[in-house]
Amino acid sequence: MVDSPRLSCWIGDPGASYVYSRVRFEPRPWPQALAALRPRIDAAAGVAMNSVLANLYRDGRDAMGWHSDDEPELGPRPVIASLSLGGTRRFAFRHRHDPARKHAIDLPHGSLLLMAGDTQAEWKHALPRTARPVPARINLTFRRILPSP
Ligand SMILES: O=C(O)CCC(=O)C(=O)O
Ligand SMILES: [Fe+2]
């Protein structure tokens, strides 16, 4: 169990295990709906994804704090494809070394956000809480975990 303000599930190919918030996740097998999405995500991202972190934000109190997806198993300059379903939430970026540099983007149902290049090295991102009434949201971040040595 991981105590976090959202519900999470790690899905992936066998061996695509992942340490997230200092907890190692062994992936669950691909459910059919996600297996069917995978080639379309791969084509959009230009990367063969082998895993997905699924997050459920039940309401505006569920959130994700500032972080970069810069774990070693993602390798340098990872491509991460983030598919949003359900309620629109605001996604925020803040520069690592110059926190005055900020961006925010609303992620509506069906949107695919690609993070690539130096995004993880140079920026942090977050999904802030909101006091507005918002429908539940599912976010699927497709990732490519490199084989562990
Ligand atoms: O829910 C989101 O849009 C962000 C998810 C995220 O940053 C992550 O899973 O690492
Ligand atoms: Fe992230």
Side-chain angles (χ1 to χ4, degrees):
M1 270 297 284
V2 185
D3 187 16
S4 67
R6 60 191 171 271
L7 299 177
S8 300
C9 175
W10 181 245
I11 294 148
D13 294 343
S17 71
Y18 188 55
V19 179
Y20 189 82
S21 298
R22 280 178 270 131
V23 180
R24 176 169 292 277
F25 290 88
E26 289 302 330
R28 294 176 184 230
W30 292 80
Q32 203 226 311
L34 293 193
L37 270 176
R38 184 178 177 176
R40 295 175 63 184
I41 301 291
D42 288 2
V47 171
M49 301 298 184
N50 60 9
S51 50
V52 188
L53 181 65
N55 289 303
L56 169 63
Y57 302 90
R58 293 157 290 188
D59 59 29
R61 287 172 298 194
D62 275 354
M64 193 176 292
W66 289 107
H67 68 282
S68 299
D69 294 292
D70 56 359
E71 290 77 10
E73 49 271 64
L74 293 172
R77 311 181 91 231
V79 178
I80 296 174
S82 165
L83 179 66
S84 292
L85 301 169
T88 298
R89 292 286 294 263
R90 178 151 289 204
F91 188 73
F93 287 97
R94 180 175 87 187
H95 197 271
R96 260 177 197 277
H97 307 300
D98 181 3
R101 285 176 71 190
K102 289 179 188 164
H103 299 282
I105 182 173
D106 282 336
L107 297 180
H109 176 73
S111 63
L112 184 69
L113 175 79
L114 293 179
M115 295 189 278
D118 288 325
T119 308
Q120 305 307 324
E122 302 211 341
W123 298 84
K124 293 189 173 223
H125 55 268
L127 193 94
R129 296 171 68 153
T130 175
R132 280 182 301 120
V134 285
R137 168 177 184 266
I138 290 174
N139 179 260
L140 304 169
T141 54
F142 290 80
R143 301 149 189 259
R144 175 159 188 81
I145 302 291
L146 305 179
S148 42

